[in-house]
PDB file of all heavy atoms in Angstrom:
ATOM      1  N   LEU A  94     104.557  85.712  64.376  1.00  0.00           N
ATOM      2  CA  LEU A  94     105.362  84.570  63.997  1.00  0.00           C
ATOM      3  C   LEU A  94     104.834  83.220  64.559  1.00  0.00           C
ATOM      4  O   LEU A  94     104.618  82.232  63.963  1.00  0.00           O
ATOM      5  CB  LEU A  94     106.834  84.714  64.191  1.00  0.00           C
ATOM      6  CG  LEU A  94     107.688  83.689  63.523  1.00  0.00           C
ATOM      7  CD1 LEU A  94     107.629  83.914  61.964  1.00  0.00           C
ATOM      8  CD2 LEU A  94     109.204  83.892  63.976  1.00  0.00           C
ATOM      9  N   ALA A 116     107.868  78.332  61.946  1.00  0.00           N
ATOM     10  CA  ALA A 116     107.671  79.525  61.135  1.00  0.00           C
ATOM     11  C   ALA A 116     108.951  80.301  61.353  1.00  0.00           C
ATOM     12  O   ALA A 116     109.576  80.338  62.390  1.00  0.00           O
ATOM     13  CB  ALA A 116     106.492  80.408  61.503  1.00  0.00           C
ATOM     14  N   VAL A 117     109.462  80.906  60.227  1.00  0.00           N
ATOM     15  CA  VAL A 117     110.582  81.763  60.292  1.00  0.00           C
ATOM     16  C   VAL A 117     110.325  83.103  59.596  1.00  0.00           C
ATOM     17  O   VAL A 117     109.545  83.223  58.608  1.00  0.00           O
ATOM     18  CB  VAL A 117     111.850  81.146  59.614  1.00  0.00           C
ATOM     19  CG1 VAL A 117     112.126  79.809  60.221  1.00  0.00           C
ATOM     20  CG2 VAL A 117     111.627  80.970  58.099  1.00  0.00           C
ATOM     21  N   PHE A 118     110.942  84.132  60.141  1.00  0.00           N
ATOM     22  CA  PHE A 118     110.955  85.445  59.417  1.00  0.00           C
ATOM     23  C   PHE A 118     112.190  85.500  58.522  1.00  0.00           C
ATOM     24  O   PHE A 118     113.254  85.172  58.854  1.00  0.00           O
ATOM     25  CB  PHE A 118     111.062  86.585  60.501  1.00  0.00           C
ATOM     26  CG  PHE A 118     109.700  87.148  60.967  1.00  0.00           C
ATOM     27  CD1 PHE A 118     109.473  87.368  62.277  1.00  0.00           C
ATOM     28  CD2 PHE A 118     108.748  87.446  60.062  1.00  0.00           C
ATOM     29  CE1 PHE A 118     108.275  87.891  62.716  1.00  0.00           C
ATOM     30  CE2 PHE A 118     107.586  88.033  60.498  1.00  0.00           C
ATOM     31  CZ  PHE A 118     107.345  88.266  61.798  1.00  0.00           C
ATOM     32  N   LEU A 119     111.960  86.144  57.317  1.00  0.00           N
ATOM     33  CA  LEU A 119     113.066  86.404  56.501  1.00  0.00           C
ATOM     34  C   LEU A 119     113.397  87.858  56.594  1.00  0.00           C
ATOM     35  O   LEU A 119     112.595  88.665  57.101  1.00  0.00           O
ATOM     36  CB  LEU A 119     112.681  86.142  55.008  1.00  0.00           C
ATOM     37  CG  LEU A 119     112.263  84.670  54.677  1.00  0.00           C
ATOM     38  CD1 LEU A 119     112.008  84.537  53.156  1.00  0.00           C
ATOM     39  CD2 LEU A 119     113.239  83.690  55.162  1.00  0.00           C
ATOM     40  N   ARG A 123     109.115  88.545  55.085  1.00  0.00           N
ATOM     41  CA  ARG A 123     108.245  87.311  54.704  1.00  0.00           C
ATOM     42  C   ARG A 123     108.289  86.313  55.776  1.00  0.00           C
ATOM     43  O   ARG A 123     109.251  86.172  56.467  1.00  0.00           O
ATOM     44  CB  ARG A 123     108.681  86.795  53.474  1.00  0.00           C
ATOM     45  CG  ARG A 123     108.072  87.481  52.201  1.00  0.00           C
ATOM     46  CD  ARG A 123     108.473  86.740  50.867  1.00  0.00           C
ATOM     47  NE  ARG A 123     109.912  86.909  50.593  1.00  0.00           N
ATOM     48  CZ  ARG A 123     110.472  86.359  49.532  1.00  0.00           C
ATOM     49  NH1 ARG A 123     109.756  85.621  48.681  1.00  0.00           N
ATOM     50  NH2 ARG A 123     111.748  86.537  49.251  1.00  0.00           N
ATOM     51  N   ILE A 124     107.260  85.505  55.928  1.00  0.00           N
ATOM     52  CA  ILE A 124     107.241  84.398  56.848  1.00  0.00           C
ATOM     53  C   ILE A 124     107.031  83.096  56.028  1.00  0.00           C
ATOM     54  O   ILE A 124     106.208  82.996  55.075  1.00  0.00           O
ATOM     55  CB  ILE A 124     105.929  84.495  57.816  1.00  0.00           C
ATOM     56  CG1 ILE A 124     106.058  85.668  58.698  1.00  0.00           C
ATOM     57  CG2 ILE A 124     105.796  83.163  58.613  1.00  0.00           C
ATOM     58  CD1 ILE A 124     104.899  85.912  59.596  1.00  0.00           C
ATOM     59  N   LEU A 125     107.933  82.086  56.363  1.00  0.00           N
ATOM     60  CA  LEU A 125     107.781  80.785  55.797  1.00  0.00           C
ATOM     61  C   LEU A 125     107.423  79.908  56.915  1.00  0.00           C
ATOM     62  O   LEU A 125     107.934  79.925  58.021  1.00  0.00           O
ATOM     63  CB  LEU A 125     109.151  80.337  55.119  1.00  0.00           C
ATOM     64  CG  LEU A 125     109.859  81.280  54.139  1.00  0.00           C
ATOM     65  CD1 LEU A 125     111.140  80.592  53.637  1.00  0.00           C
ATOM     66  CD2 LEU A 125     108.793  81.482  52.947  1.00  0.00           C
ATOM     67  N   ALA A 145     111.301  75.190  56.170  1.00  0.00           N
ATOM     68  CA  ALA A 145     111.381  76.687  56.160  1.00  0.00           C
ATOM     69  C   ALA A 145     112.783  77.166  56.015  1.00  0.00           C
ATOM     70  O   ALA A 145     113.039  78.142  55.274  1.00  0.00           O
ATOM     71  CB  ALA A 145     110.637  77.313  57.302  1.00  0.00           C
ATOM     72  N   ALA A 158     114.466  85.206  62.518  1.00  0.00           N
ATOM     73  CA  ALA A 158     113.767  84.728  63.610  1.00  0.00           C
ATOM     74  C   ALA A 158     113.140  83.350  63.273  1.00  0.00           C
ATOM     75  O   ALA A 158     112.711  83.156  62.199  1.00  0.00           O
ATOM     76  CB  ALA A 158     112.711  85.672  64.242  1.00  0.00           C
ATOM     77  N   SER A 159     113.048  82.546  64.293  1.00  0.00           N
ATOM     78  CA  SER A 159     112.539  81.162  64.093  1.00  0.00           C
ATOM     79  C   SER A 159     111.718  80.737  65.341  1.00  0.00           C
ATOM     80  O   SER A 159     112.113  80.951  66.383  1.00  0.00           O
ATOM     81  CB  SER A 159     113.649  80.179  63.719  1.00  0.00           C
ATOM     82  OG  SER A 159     113.147  78.865  63.705  1.00  0.00           O
TER      83      SER A 159
END
Side-chain angles (χ1 to χ4, degrees):
L94 193 65
V117 304
F118 266 134
L119 302 184
R123 278 184 289 179
I124 293 175
L125 305 182
S159 173

